[in-house]
Amino acid sequence: MIQDTYVLSDSQKRERRRITIMFTILSVLIVAVFLVSMNTGSIRLTPIEVLRTLFGEGTSDQDLILFTFRLPRIVLSVLVGAGLGVAGCVLQAITRNALAEPGIIGINAGAGLFVLAFTAFYASPAASPVYLLPLLAWAGAGLSAVIVFGLSYRKHRGFSSTRLLLNGIAITAGISSMTIVITQRIDAEQYQFYARWISGTFSGQDWKFVMAVLPFLAVLIPYVMYKSRTINVLNLGQTMAVGLGARVTREQVGLLAAAIGLAGACVSVSGSIGFVGLIGPHLARRLVGTKHQVLVPASALVGGLLVIGADTISRMWLQDTPTGVIVAIIGAPYFLYLMIRSKM
Amino acid sequence: MGTNSQQGAEVDVRTADAMNQIYARPWTGTAIIVIGLIALALGIAICVNYGYQDIKLITVWEAIFRFDPDSGEHQIIRALRLPRVLGGAIIGAGLSVAGAIMQGMTRNPLADSSLLGLTAGAGFALALVFAFFQGVSFNVLLLIAFLGAGVGAVLVFGLSSMARGGMTPVRLVLAGAAVTALLTAISEGIALYYRIGKDLSFWYAGAIAGIRMSQLEIMFPWVAVALLGAIALSRSITLLSLGEDVARGLGLRSGRVKLAGLAIVLILAGAAVAVAGAIGFVGLLIPHVTRKLVGVDYRWIIPCSAVLGALLVIIADLAARMINPGSEVPVAALIAIIGVPFFLYLARKEERSL
């Protein structure tokens, strides 16, 4: 493949043009959905009014609606989608398994457990310190991911992908039963708070959450991009990667940590949203091919589009049904479709 | 006609041969059933006896066989303690047998009703009932739980059999996880929208404390018939566990057997979810332990699993009540503490065999 592209510069050019077109289409779509989303809500604003307000010429009411209520939520949905998309892309490349996804390997469950423990500890979650919740969720996500990966590592053979998935399912099952113990001890209001979190929603999120997740994305996505050539090599498999001189284990661990950090940061502000890390990279691969220099940013865009789209649909037609529910309704069938086609 | 019956006789002989070659330990099996039933009776007595209020064993005996409606102690035993322990035993037996049948029929060591989407399906059906048809009778609820378990099972088994290379264990578990994620997400959405989350969380909790005698009376005939059916089917399941081709070659109508097996599994798993919510890992653990003890013949595995499963759940429940008296740990959580490492171990073995 690599050699082909060097020889056939025509096809290389065509490929480049195709990729550019795909990126343009994805970006335009995100902007379009963004504008639609800004218009969606109980108070209707025309697209012109939205644009005027965005450029600082709106009334104070319009400012309040857009900048305080709608914008943070919409920005957050794009960021979370992008982060989960990149995390899924890295996980799929390193485990060389099409079904690897942050949710299925236990990240969401771990975050959920910590959020629940926190809910149970603070009688009223709303009155707690702002950054404590995302931080705890992130720690929970990291902890369960480390356990799952630790159990799936084999000396000299790297991470076994089948075992990774099975271990993820086992740990998720174990965590859900711990979750159940705690849900027995909280009251209905606390449960409602937790239930909203666990089903993944952006309603009521403000700029503080954007600021909580942004640093992770700003550091980790560029890191992954910087390592994209290494990911290409790792994706060839353990033996091949060693042969090509990659320090496999060290690179794997670094990239996995980045993926876990990204996914954990995302679910810590959005609640449990699954399957974005699965669909994002898959669609992206169909659009731009398998080179991670372009696949990583494309996964981010597709993931972002998916989540902002789901969130907009939920606000337009589904009375604010949690975004995670909508994403799961799209994502689980897609997972099953991939499962049917995969060799295992 | 003559040749037909000759062929039939020959197949019968071959089947008998095959059955004889299957490794089984009848003596161990008999011992497990006898000792298990004695232990079960003892366990039930201890469970009924143990609690906040001290009640003498003789009073327990009287409450069961010479019930006096005016006695407070008799009321406690009849209304609270007895349904709980009997319900636990029935559910444990049912879930273990369901797991054993699934493991045998699909030749999948990782089969369990909660792993393969049956529990999530039944939970989903219950969420629908709570949201839209509140106040239906327990009879109807039970039937709906069967149906829901059926939806989950059909999705998981149907989709994984569509795959190239057929239903491998890993694929079944993955399909189970995805179907569970899907159905749980929809249930959560419904729960949030109709504000029934807390009601539903009790169902998911897998606790047997709330079982009522009236529920048991409705549930028991179903489970009893299903368990008898499972024992009647056990010979065919043993043949199926040798592989579909072998079973067919020995003249087994595998389609019918699978259908009957599936119906039994749905009744057992659905009934368990309807009264106690999601109790996982019983159906995974018990059949494996039993197989280690009595060999690979399902004529022994199924009855022994029933006895051991019932024991596991009532012992776990007793432990859950002793650990933290007053505020109880759901029995499902306690079983998961053993179940999760066991699943990890099985997954490791399964992956090695790939």
Side-chain angles (χ1 to χ4, degrees):
Chain A
M1 276 293 283
I2 296 168
Q3 275 166 353
D4 283 355
T5 49
Y6 278 116
V7 177
L8 301 169
S9 70
D10 259 4
S11 82
Q12 195 182 10
K13 269 184 200 157
R14 228 177 296 140
E15 183 71 17
R16 282 236 171 115
R17 202 180 316 137
R18 205 171 78 94
I19 289 170
T20 319
I21 292 172
M22 286 302 171
F23 273 99
T24 319
I25 292 176
L26 284 174
S27 312
V28 169
L29 275 176
I30 289 183
V31 172
V33 178
F34 176 82
L35 288 177
V36 172
S37 194
M38 289 295 271
N39 283 317
T40 309
S42 49
I43 299 167
R44 310 284 304 179
L45 299 173
T46 64
I48 307 287
E49 280 174 328
V50 168
L51 280 177
R52 283 173 58 107
T53 315
L54 282 180
F55 290 109
E57 302 198 346
T59 64
S60 63
D61 275 358
Q62 287 169 345
D63 272 352
L64 180 73
I65 293 167
L66 284 192
F67 287 114
T68 314
F69 296 129
R70 291 190 195 163
L71 201 55
R73 173 177 186 164
I74 295 166
V75 169
L76 196 63
S77 68
V78 178
L79 291 179
V80 165
L84 289 174
V86 172
C89 182
V90 173
L91 288 177
Q92 286 172 17
I94 289 183
T95 60
R96 303 178 70 210
N97 190 321
L99 300 175
E101 194 260 339
I104 205 108
I105 59 166
I107 284 181
N108 295 9
L113 179 66
F114 274 48
V115 167
L116 182 64
F118 166 83
T119 315
F121 185 72
Y122 275 96
S124 165
S128 62
V130 181
Y131 288 110
L132 198 55
L133 184 69
L135 198 68
L136 276 176
W138 189 78
L143 188 66
S144 62
V146 167
I147 293 174
V148 170
F149 276 102
L151 286 170
S152 316
Y153 185 78
R154 282 193 299 186
K155 237 181 180 176
H156 308 304
R157 290 178 66 178
F159 293 100
S160 151
S161 66
T162 308
R163 191 191 282 178
L164 192 69
L165 294 176
L166 288 175
N167 286 344
I169 291 168
I171 295 295
T172 303
I175 290 176
S176 358
S177 53
M178 278 194 251
T179 312
I180 283 159
V181 178
I182 307 177
T183 53
Q184 297 299 293
R185 283 148 207 244
I186 59 180
D187 59 36
E189 187 208 350
Q190 287 173 318
Y191 188 82
Q192 194 74 9
F193 174 83
Y194 166 71
R196 280 203 82 73
W197 189 91
I198 198 71
S199 45
T201 177
F202 293 101
S203 76
Q205 307 295 57
D206 56 27
W207 290 111
K208 279 174 290 200
F209 289 89
V210 176
M211 296 324 283
V213 73
L214 202 55
F216 285 99
L217 301 192
V219 173
L220 293 175
I221 292 184
Y223 169 76
V224 172
M225 301 271 286
Y226 169 69
K227 288 281 181 191
S228 52
R229 281 165 197 280
T230 318
I231 303 178
N232 287 339
V233 175
L234 291 177
N235 195 23
L236 296 172
Q238 184 95 357
T239 329
M240 192 79 104
V242 171
L244 288 170
R247 287 172 303 182
V248 173
T249 306
R250 184 190 285 193
E251 300 286 6
Q252 273 183 337
V253 169
L255 282 162
L256 282 178
I260 294 166
L262 273 174
C266 290
V267 296
S268 75
V269 293
S270 69
S272 172
I273 289 185
F275 298 108
V276 177
L278 179 85
I279 306 177
H282 270 275
L283 290 183
R285 207 170 291 127
R286 297 214 158 170
L287 297 176
V288 303
T290 53
K291 270 200 273 174
H292 285 83
Q293 292 92 320
V294 287
L295 184 58
V296 170
S299 302
L301 287 182
V302 176
L305 183 61
L306 191 70
V307 178
I308 190 182
D311 189 44
T312 310
I313 289 172
S314 132
R315 283 168 52 208
M316 279 174 91
W317 295 306
L318 297 170
Q319 283 107 9
D320 225 346
T321 306
T323 316
V325 172
I326 294 168
V327 175
I329 291 172
I330 310 167
Y334 193 76
F335 178 91
L336 289 166
Y337 163 76
L338 288 174
M339 186 274 303
I340 289 173
R341 293 183 19 141
S342 74
K343 283 173 276 175
M344 204 168 300
Chain B
M1 275 307 277
T3 50
N4 249 352
S5 67
Q6 239 173 8
Q7 267 176 358
E10 198 182 313
V11 165
D12 280 350
V13 171
R14 273 193 289 153
T15 314
D17 270 359
M19 293 302 286
N20 282 336
Q21 280 166 21
I22 286 164
Y23 177 67
R25 294 199 196 103
W27 286 110
T28 321
T30 317
I32 288 177
I33 294 175
V34 173
I35 298 173
L37 284 176
I38 295 170
L40 200 59
L42 264 176
I44 289 174
I46 294 171
C47 282
V48 174
N49 203 34
Y50 179 85
Y52 182 69
Q53 195 172 353
D54 261 335
I55 297 176
K56 290 197 187 78
L57 267 177
I58 183 75
T59 323
V60 175
W61 183 264
E62 280 173 6
I64 297 170
F65 295 102
R66 283 200 306 266
F67 181 59
D68 171 14
D70 295 331
S71 154
E73 290 184 338
H74 284 201
Q75 291 285 3
I76 289 176
I77 290 168
R78 277 259 171 147
L80 297 174
R81 294 196 186 168
L82 210 51
R84 174 176 187 162
V85 64
L86 290 180
I90 294 172
I91 290 163
L95 286 174
S96 314
V97 171
I101 294 176
M102 283 193 286
Q103 288 171 17
M105 287 200 315
T106 61
R107 309 183 72 201
N108 173 7
L110 302 175
D112 174 47
S113 46
S114 67
L115 286 170
L116 298 187
L118 278 77
T119 306
F124 170 64
L126 292 177
L128 288 179
V129 172
F130 278 131
F132 302 111
F133 313 101
Q134 249 167 7
V136 297
S137 73
F138 187 72
N139 264 315
V140 181
L141 200 70
L142 205 57
L143 288 177
I144 291 173
F146 297 159
L147 270 180
V151 170
V154 166
L155 279 175
V156 170
F157 287 105
L159 287 168
S160 14
S161 65
M162 273 160 63
R164 281 182 298 180
M167 293 195 277
T168 61
V170 174
R171 203 175 263 141
L172 272 171
V173 173
L174 288 177
V179 168
T180 300
L182 178 66
L183 294 175
T184 313
I186 302 176
S187 311
E188 284 282 354
I190 294 171
L192 273 177
Y193 194 77
Y194 292 92
R195 294 199 150 264
I196 52 169
K198 189 68 183 166
D199 297 343
L200 214 56
S201 87
F202 279 114
W203 288 89
Y204 283 125
I208 59 174
I211 298 177
R212 302 269 162 277
M213 206 48 142
S214 57
Q215 294 177 327
L216 280 189
E217 279 164 9
I218 295 168
M219 179 186 118
F220 182 70
W222 285 98
V223 176
V225 169
L227 287 178
L228 289 177
I231 291 171
L233 210 60
S234 57
R235 187 168 170 274
S236 309
I237 294 172
T238 310
L239 292 179
L240 267 181
S241 73
L242 301 173
E244 182 101 34
D245 297 338
V246 178
R248 284 237 180 91
L250 293 172
L252 187 76
R253 300 189 177 193
S254 60
R256 282 188 193 183
V257 173
K258 281 186 173 172
L259 209 61
L262 185 64
I264 292 172
V265 168
L266 294 184
I267 291 174
L268 294 175
V273 176
V275 296
I279 297 183
F281 297 110
V282 178
L284 183 76
L285 264 168
I286 293 294
H288 278 284
V289 172
T290 314
R291 203 173 293 120
K292 276 265 182 296
L293 293 172
V294 302
V296 292
D297 189 343
Y298 279 81
R299 285 177 298 182
W300 289 106
I301 292 178
I302 286 177
C304 293
S305 289
V307 173
L308 292 179
L311 262 179
L312 174 70
V313 173
I314 65 166
I315 291 173
D317 187 46
L318 190 63
R321 286 158 66 191
M322 284 174 166
I323 289 170
N324 198 356
S327 111
E328 287 172 2
V329 182
V331 65
L334 217 62
I335 293 173
I337 291 174
I338 326 166
V340 171
F342 189 71
F343 180 70
L344 288 170
Y345 158 74
L346 285 178
R348 192 156 281 225
K349 245 174 55 175
E350 177 59 28
E351 193 239 3
R352 225 171 258 153
S353 70
L354 282 178

